[in-house]
Amino acid sequence: MKLFFLKLKDKFWFNFIFLFVVLIVYFITGLFNFEYFINVWKEVVDVFVKQIFVVLIIVFIFMFILNLLLKKDLIKDKIENSKNSTKYIFSIIGWIFSTWPVYMWYPFLKTVKQHGFSYGHIATFIYARAIKIPFLAAMIMYFGFKYTVIFNLTLLFFAFIIGVLINLIFNFFGYEKDNS
């Protein structure tokens, strides 16, 4: 039985089978206590429509507009002509608003490295990945607004610190000058 479960778990359809089994169990429960069944469905629909769905729509619209407005050439021009502190700000903001997996950003990071980004800026860019706008609503819902703000500000602070430390270490060993 255990081997069957492990093989089934590895398959794509396991998620749908699990959902189907949970729904069957839930509907059987509804046969014995119909009032509870209806109250739970009302609560599920209420939470989904009023909290999750609205926030997801706003987030996806915001991300769609950002992806339309921000072009690779515009970002490269801004990076080439900006100060070091501004590059850190670009690093943090760029990654927060990024929507692709990290490996898809590597060619872009190589390009910006050639146009003036240091390894510290790249480290800041990647470290700020922990902040994701689509998850902010869920974080606020589960942990509260105050925790979410403090947590994300801490991540931003340490993204900056990591970038500065990487720059200091690379400059100390002369790596930045030789291999840029």
Side-chain angles (χ1 to χ4, degrees):
M1 182 67 174
K2 188 175 183 181
L3 291 175
F4 172 75
F5 180 73
L6 290 176
K7 288 180 185 176
L8 189 61
K9 184 178 177 184
D10 293 335
K11 295 184 180 178
F12 172 76
W13 293 102
F14 174 76
N15 296 330
F16 295 109
I17 293 170
F18 180 75
L19 176 65
F20 183 69
V21 169
V22 169
L23 288 174
I24 288 174
V25 169
Y26 183 69
F27 283 118
I28 291 171
T29 305
L31 293 175
F32 295 107
N33 190 348
F34 190 71
E35 185 178 324
Y36 176 74
F37 176 81
I38 294 299
N39 288 336
V40 169
W41 271 110
K42 284 181 184 177
E43 186 69 27
V44 166
V45 170
D46 187 49
V47 166
F48 183 75
V49 170
K50 288 185 179 176
Q51 294 177 5
I52 298 172
F53 187 70
V54 173
V55 172
L56 282 177
I57 293 297
I58 292 170
V59 166
F60 284 127
I61 289 171
F62 185 65
M63 289 169 55
F64 179 75
I65 291 170
L66 277 174
N67 281 333
L68 287 178
L69 296 177
L70 296 177
K71 300 295 179 199
K72 195 175 182 179
D73 295 332
L74 175 71
I75 294 170
K76 281 193 283 188
D77 291 340
K78 294 288 183 188
I79 288 171
E80 285 178 341
N81 302 321
S82 61
K83 297 184 290 185
N84 199 28
S85 58
T86 309
K87 290 177 184 177
Y88 280 110
I89 293 170
F90 281 135
S91 297
I92 291 171
I93 291 173
W95 194 262
I96 291 171
F97 292 115
S98 70
T99 56
W100 299 339
V102 68
Y103 63 87
M104 294 185 74
W105 282 97
Y106 290 154
F108 175 74
L109 291 175
K110 179 182 178 187
T111 303
V112 295
K113 172 73 175 99
Q114 294 167 348
H115 291 8
F117 250 41
S118 68
Y119 287 112
H121 298 119
I122 292 171
T124 301
F125 188 87
I126 294 173
Y127 193 90
R129 181 175 204 254
I131 300 172
K132 285 295 172 200
I133 290 179
F135 300 133
L136 289 180
M139 280 187 73
I140 291 170
M141 190 169 82
Y142 288 119
F143 304 116
F145 182 76
K146 188 187 296 185
Y147 173 81
T148 303
V149 169
I150 292 170
F151 180 77
N152 286 301
L153 287 176
T154 304
L155 286 173
L156 288 175
F157 174 73
F158 282 105
F160 175 74
I161 295 298
I162 291 294
V164 170
L165 286 175
I166 292 290
N167 269 344
L168 288 174
I169 292 168
F170 276 41
N171 287 336
F172 179 76
F173 289 107
Y175 186 75
E176 193 75 43
K177 295 173 192 135
D178 296 336
N179 296 334
S180 51

